[in-house]
Amino acid sequence: MAPAGREFRLYRYSGLLCRHDLLVRVDRPAYPNADQGAEDAADDFADSAAEHLRGWWARRLLPRDCSREHRDRLLGTMDGEPPTEDTLDGPGLRRCRVWVARHGDSEWLVLGEATSEEEFWRAVAEDDGREPDRPAVAHDVYLLADEDGRGDLRDA
Ligand SMILES: [Zn+2]
């Protein structure tokens, strides 16, 4: 059985003179290991949730900050929980600063909310996973998650 999991996807919306980073947190249901169809369906659940959330953000929240045209692209994905304190576990609909490091040229990232790059690397060192490449880069992101349908748009 592959357990239920969590993914963070980092997107960038770029205009001529601006850029806006969006971090989407989605959950992926558990599935039986030997069942490719179920694995595809679990991945598609996470894909569909991420598309739904970022579409809403681009239609409703981004235009309040910036009315320019934007091109968007996926900067990368983190599989699982951040190495830092679990501040990214709670409600989204908010801005925060995350540190982002990459595994080589792959799409796989390690990211976490930290007050400094040093704090970020301390958390990474204490984590079990394979260390990503240095340096880490700070991104000011808007965090959005599945559960934010229970949140409050006054704070958005
Ligand atoms: Zn813009």
Side-chain angles (χ1 to χ4, degrees):
M1 195 76 185
R6 172 161 278 188
E7 281 181 18
F8 289 82
R9 300 187 185 195
L10 180 61
Y11 299 93
R12 171 158 290 170
Y13 288 70
S14 309
L16 222 46
L17 298 165
C18 61
R19 64 184 198 201
H20 317 269
D21 289 349
L22 172 69
L23 183 62
V24 172
R25 184 184 73 219
V26 292
D27 294 319
R28 193 184 52 238
Y31 56 88
N33 270 330
D35 185 343
Q36 185 64 46
E39 180 175 352
D40 292 346
D43 286 342
D44 190 40
F45 189 97
D47 288 345
S48 302
E51 287 306 304
H52 152 75
L53 288 169
R54 78 188 189 101
W56 175 80
W57 180 82
R59 279 194 311 277
R60 293 293 183 175
L61 291 192
L62 178 57
R64 302 202 308 197
D65 288 341
C66 181
S67 59
R68 295 190 183 96
E69 293 284 312
H70 301 99
R71 298 173 137 209
D72 61 274
R73 67 192 174 98
L74 179 68
L75 295 182
T77 301
M78 179 169 73
D79 198 17
E81 302 291 345
T84 46
E85 294 286 324
D86 260 359
T87 46
L88 295 177
D89 201 34
L93 291 177
R94 66 182 176 99
R95 291 170 213 283
C96 58
R97 167 166 285 195
V98 295
W99 291 87
V100 180
R102 199 172 272 279
H103 287 294
D105 293 330
S106 77
E107 72 154 304
W108 298 106
L109 307 174
V110 175
L111 61 83
E113 200 172 10
T115 54
S116 67
E117 188 181 357
E118 292 71 35
E119 185 186 306
F120 171 76
W121 284 114
R122 263 200 305 279
V124 169
E126 288 166 11
D127 201 51
D128 293 336
R130 187 166 64 87
E131 278 216 17
D133 300 343
R134 288 171 191 257
V137 179
H139 289 251
D140 293 312
V141 302
Y142 196 86
L143 175 66
L144 197 56
D146 283 338
E147 300 89 331
D148 290 336
R150 294 197 295 265
D152 189 335
L153 283 177
R154 276 180 303 190
D155 310 324

